[in-house]
Amino acid sequence: MSEQVNLQEALVKKAAFGNDIDLEKFDDNNEQHVQSTAELSAAGKERLEHVGIDLERENRSASFIQVDNAPIEAEVKPQLPLELMNTGAAAKKYPELVKKYWWNAVKADTDKYTAKTALEQEQGYFIRVKAGQKIEAPLQACVFIGHEEQLQRVHNIVIVEEGAELNIISGCASDPGVEKACISVSVNFMLKKMLS
């Protein structure tokens, strides 16, 4: 309960760096406006390609795309020892990992941006490669803003266990028609190594 109180109080806390943005001026919904990348505008698809996203998924091990606050794609090629899902689904599937990894690198009550992301339904990607697994082709991930005045909340968790390998192509983009939007991102990379 006290954690919730701290997060509520942090909703008015300015960040240590950068401009102070009024988050209330942005649309903060979880509505899924599109079901797939095929529904994006031609210019939107071009923006995805510009940040390294291969819409044909050739030479990619996996693909994650979130539009606004809705994940529309989380696909892993068959037989690959790689986990990929949205962060909210991972939190439900692996509650033990939430305690261990969620909001440990950056505290959820650091400022209003982290608090807002932590309090709302978490979005973003969760990636895990288990010990000793080597993924040859890169995984691609992109968060995309498709609507004017959208507030996008992203909390990404990447866990690469000891001896594992993974290359990630990660990008952020917006539809060219979007002139004003805000993205709040927290990314945690955990590269595990056993100490002897």
Side-chain angles (χ1 to χ4, degrees):
M1 183 67 170
S2 65
E3 183 179 335
Q4 286 290 99
V5 171
N6 289 344
L7 290 177
Q8 289 295 332
E9 291 172 359
L11 285 173
V12 295
K13 193 174 177 183
K14 293 180 181 179
F17 303 100
N19 295 332
D20 184 36
I21 297 169
D22 182 358
L23 298 179
E24 298 302 317
K25 292 184 176 182
F26 295 92
D27 184 8
D28 184 28
N29 70 65
N30 291 325
E31 186 176 331
Q32 187 165 346
H33 299 283
V34 297
Q35 302 299 314
S36 73
T37 55
E39 296 176 38
L40 297 176
S41 69
K45 291 176 190 174
E46 190 175 305
R47 286 275 177 98
L48 286 175
E49 291 172 349
H50 185 73
V51 297
I53 302 304
D54 179 355
L55 295 173
E56 301 301 318
R57 295 161 200 80
E58 292 182 24
N59 302 312
R60 300 291 192 262
S61 60
S63 183
F64 179 91
I65 298 176
Q66 176 177 314
V67 176
D68 299 330
N69 286 315
I72 63 166
E73 183 175 300
E75 298 176 3
V76 178
K77 287 194 175 172
Q79 311 303 316
L80 283 179
L82 168 68
E83 287 185 273
L84 173 65
M85 63 190 78
N86 82 326
T87 309
K92 289 176 185 164
K93 185 174 181 176
Y94 299 113
E96 72 281 5
L97 295 180
V98 171
K99 186 173 183 172
K100 192 170 183 180
Y101 295 118
W102 266 240
W103 300 107
N104 285 333
V106 174
K107 297 298 180 201
D109 64 353
T110 297
D111 56 39
K112 65 183 174 182
Y113 309 105
T114 56
K116 180 77 169 167
T117 300
L119 280 169
E120 303 293 332
Q121 178 183 351
E122 288 198 56
Q123 300 299 345
Y125 55 77
F126 169 86
I127 300 167
R128 181 164 66 169
V129 183
K130 294 201 174 179
Q133 302 296 325
K134 296 179 180 16
I135 309 300
E136 298 292 327
L139 176 149
Q140 65 181 13
C142 184
V143 291
F144 183 86
I145 295 179
H147 295 87
E148 186 69 14
E149 297 186 351
Q150 178 71 47
L151 170 61
Q152 187 178 55
R153 304 173 315 278
V154 179
H155 184 204
N156 297 330
I157 306 283
V158 179
I159 302 170
V160 179
E161 295 182 1
E162 184 179 13
E165 293 179 11
L166 175 69
N167 293 298
I168 300 172
I169 298 169
S170 179
C172 297
S174 65
D175 190 88
V178 174
E179 293 184 18
K180 181 180 176 185
C182 181
I183 181 171
S184 175
V185 180
S186 176
V187 181
N188 299 353
F189 286 92
M190 273 64 76
L191 309 173
K192 295 173 74 176
K193 177 167 175 54
M194 299 293 284
L195 301 175
S196 51

